[in-house]
Amino acid sequence: MSTHSFQAPKGTRDFYPADLGVRRHIEAAWRSASIDCGFDEIEGPTFEHLELFTAKSGEGIVNELFSFRRAGGENDYALRPEFTPTLARMVAARAGSLPVPVKWFAIPNMFRAERPQRGRLREFVQWNIDTCGVEGAATDVDVIAVAILALERLGLTPNDVQVRLSHRAAIARVLGALGVPAEKAADAMTLLDRRDKLKPEEFAQRAEALGLSAEGVARFDAAARATQRLSEPLAALAARIGVPVEEFAALDEVRTAASRAGILDWCTVDIGIVRGLAYYTGTVFEVHETSGAERAVAGGGRYDGLVELFGGPKMPACGFGMGDVVLANVLRDRKLLPDDGATLLPRPDAFVISAGGELAEAELPRLVMELRRAGLHVRTSSKATRNVGKLLGDAGKNRARTAVILGNELAEGSVALKNLDAGSQLVTPLIGLADAVKAIVRG
């Protein structure tokens, strides 16, 4: 029989134990922040009807999806590229019986049929936070604060990452003040969203196509790149781009809520943040690392019409998605992940060793199972050796906290128990061994 070497599909990842240790470390911060902020975990199907995604984002999204039709079937499906449509569908289906606010989170796998590159893969894990049923800037800030809490728990600070935010209503008013005709507002927002992807001359040409004069193009360009810390007065930003501060009324509400939540130092106003998806209706934000070397770590905002679009009642909503790929890059660059991800794996509480002899060999399996039944993480060696030193070396490689050595003491109903962190050792009866191990593990 001929053999063939297989590799994982391009844009996907194999997670060996050390790799999965890193992923679980990130997910643990996501999950703990979600739960501590009052969000309940949900999950949905890996694939949905294709029209669920086209209803939200238009037919153009089809080229970005892994879509398929079951042989002999009539329906088109797609692997989920994001979670918001699934969430909106689920809320719409039970809107009448759900408590308000609906506060849900999910950590699902996502799939996008695009060219893999740094920070962007075809399969990835994404943390999703969503609140439905409550309006207002305080809710928007509550959602942003969950992201900040998780980033803090991973060791990041405002010097490492910033929440770059804006408000689509404020942007619309600013565009009007800059002379953009109302019928061109959507085109102007699309251009703002592409600000960092266009060369200066192309950006200027497209700004001119909005009907702006040469002076208007210059003002539009300056506004598109205007940023300042949210802690600073918005009047300063308004003066810098030449618009009345009243145009920032909606953004000022976000500033007030962020101040009350104590997260101002994490936030930057960025007029160029509009989020390209047309369903966003209010506050919009992205999380970026401060050097500018990576893609956005997260992005989201308020989307008040989506639940209604999927057959539910009119219901305000706000949420974000945060992928693991860019976040892991940022954490590695900041030396916040270990060189060896295996150090993030759970440590065994005990490593059981036989020092040789028929009694020890016979007793070892029973003792291992007894300790496991007591709620301990227990491992042992499959090596056919009586060299206790080598077996203790294996215990160390497994990062075990204790070693249980079945030696001569076993005939008297006792074993040697070694504290591998402290280097100390004692003889303890088999009866009560689990409690003795737990006492060492708990310190």
Side-chain angles (χ1 to χ4, degrees):
M1 183 178 65
S2 61
T3 61
H4 180 74
S5 178
F6 291 93
Q7 296 181 337
K10 188 174 182 181
T12 66
R13 294 169 289 177
D14 291 321
F15 287 92
Y16 291 89
D19 306 313
L20 198 56
V22 172
R23 173 173 153 184
R24 294 295 186 235
H25 173 68
I26 292 172
E27 290 176 353
W30 288 346
R31 182 168 281 107
S32 68
S34 302
I35 294 171
D36 290 350
C37 292
F39 289 77
D40 296 316
E41 188 166 11
I42 63 168
E43 178 58 291
T46 302
F47 62 94
E48 295 269 13
H49 292 285
L50 178 61
E51 61 183 339
L52 185 77
F53 303 115
T54 58
K56 167 181 168 286
S57 303
E59 293 293 334
I61 197 175
V62 175
N63 293 330
E64 302 173 11
L65 304 179
F66 287 105
S67 57
F68 62 94
R69 174 175 291 183
R70 183 176 61 84
E74 298 180 353
N75 295 317
D76 291 316
Y77 302 95
L79 296 178
R80 59 188 178 195
E82 57 172 320
F83 195 73
T84 308
T86 294
L87 176 130
R89 176 182 60 73
M90 291 172 65
V91 171
R94 297 190 180 181
S97 61
L98 293 174
V100 176
V102 178
K103 297 180 70 173
W104 287 348
F105 80 95
I107 307 178
N109 277 34
M110 303 296 184
F111 308 86
R112 290 181 182 166
E114 56 188 357
R115 183 173 64 85
Q117 50 193 296
R118 181 176 173 84
R120 190 179 290 271
L121 298 176
R122 288 174 174 166
E123 182 182 14
F124 56 97
V125 181
Q126 182 169 287
W127 175 37
N128 295 268
I129 283 284
D130 293 272
T131 297
C132 301
V134 182
E135 298 179 337
T139 298
D140 301 343
V141 168
D142 184 49
V143 166
I144 293 171
V146 188
I148 291 173
L149 184 60
L151 295 172
E152 280 183 330
R153 291 180 176 180
L154 289 168
L156 294 168
T157 73
N159 293 326
D160 301 310
V161 293
Q162 280 285 300
V163 180
R164 290 161 49 181
L165 59 83
S166 188
H167 195 289
R168 287 177 73 108
I171 293 173
R173 292 176 64 90
V174 167
L175 292 174
L178 291 174
V180 176
E183 65 274 14
K184 295 284 188 177
D187 293 337
M189 286 196 182
T190 299
L191 182 55
L192 285 175
D193 187 56
R194 293 185 56 81
R195 171 193 64 182
D196 298 326
K197 301 175 184 178
L198 299 175
K199 295 180 179 179
E201 56 272 20
E202 184 177 357
F203 185 88
Q205 289 174 357
R206 296 193 180 193
E208 187 177 353
L210 297 174
L212 297 174
S213 63
E215 180 185 355
V217 169
R219 293 180 65 204
F220 181 82
D221 183 81
R225 303 174 199 287
T227 65
Q228 76 171 34
R229 290 297 181 101
L230 188 59
S231 56
E232 300 174 11
L234 292 175
L237 180 63
R240 204 158 80 242
I241 62 177
V243 299
V245 69
E246 291 76 19
E247 312 297 7
F248 287 133
L251 197 54
D252 191 48
E253 293 179 8
V254 177
R255 183 179 184 275
T256 299
S259 177
R260 290 171 177 169
I263 62 169
L264 279 179
D265 56 338
W266 286 85
C267 301
T268 296
V269 180
D270 187 336
I271 301 301
I273 298 294
V274 295
R275 305 290 293 161
L277 298 175
Y279 66 86
Y280 284 116
T281 58
T283 303
V284 283
F285 60 91
E286 295 177 358
V287 179
H288 288 262
E289 55 89 28
T290 52
S291 76
E294 298 287 346
R295 297 172 177 272
V297 175
R302 178 161 286 280
Y303 53 96
D304 289 346
L306 199 59
V307 174
E308 185 178 11
L309 178 66
F310 289 159
K314 185 174 179 58
M315 180 177 284
C318 182
F320 70 81
M322 180 182 295
D324 72 310
V325 181
V326 176
L327 178 56
N329 289 342
V330 173
L331 293 174
R332 288 192 185 94
D333 290 344
R334 300 301 195 279
K335 308 300 182 185
L336 294 173
L337 291 176
D339 293 332
D340 182 4
T343 60
L344 295 171
L345 298 174
R347 291 185 65 187
D349 298 312
F351 194 93
V352 183
I353 293 169
S354 168
E358 292 184 4
L359 181 59
E361 295 297 329
E363 181 68 12
L364 188 145
R366 186 200 66 77
L367 184 58
V368 166
M369 192 61 182
E370 180 181 304
L371 293 174
R372 287 170 176 168
R373 282 174 171 158
L376 294 167
H377 174 182
V378 181
R379 300 189 186 186
T380 187
S381 175
S382 60
K383 290 183 178 178
T385 179
R386 297 185 180 183
N387 187 323
V388 174
K390 287 185 178 180
L391 294 175
L392 284 173
D394 287 348
K397 291 176 182 176
N398 278 267
R399 299 168 51 248
R401 300 179 187 275
T402 69
V404 178
I405 306 170
L406 282 61
N408 296 330
E409 302 88 352
L410 193 58
E412 300 175 1
S414 298
V415 294
L417 178 58
K418 188 176 184 66
N419 184 332
L420 294 175
D421 289 337
S424 58
Q425 182 171 313
L426 55 84
V427 175
T428 186
L430 282 171
I431 298 174
L433 175 60
D435 289 335
V437 173
K438 290 178 181 178
I440 293 175
V441 168
R442 293 168 183 168

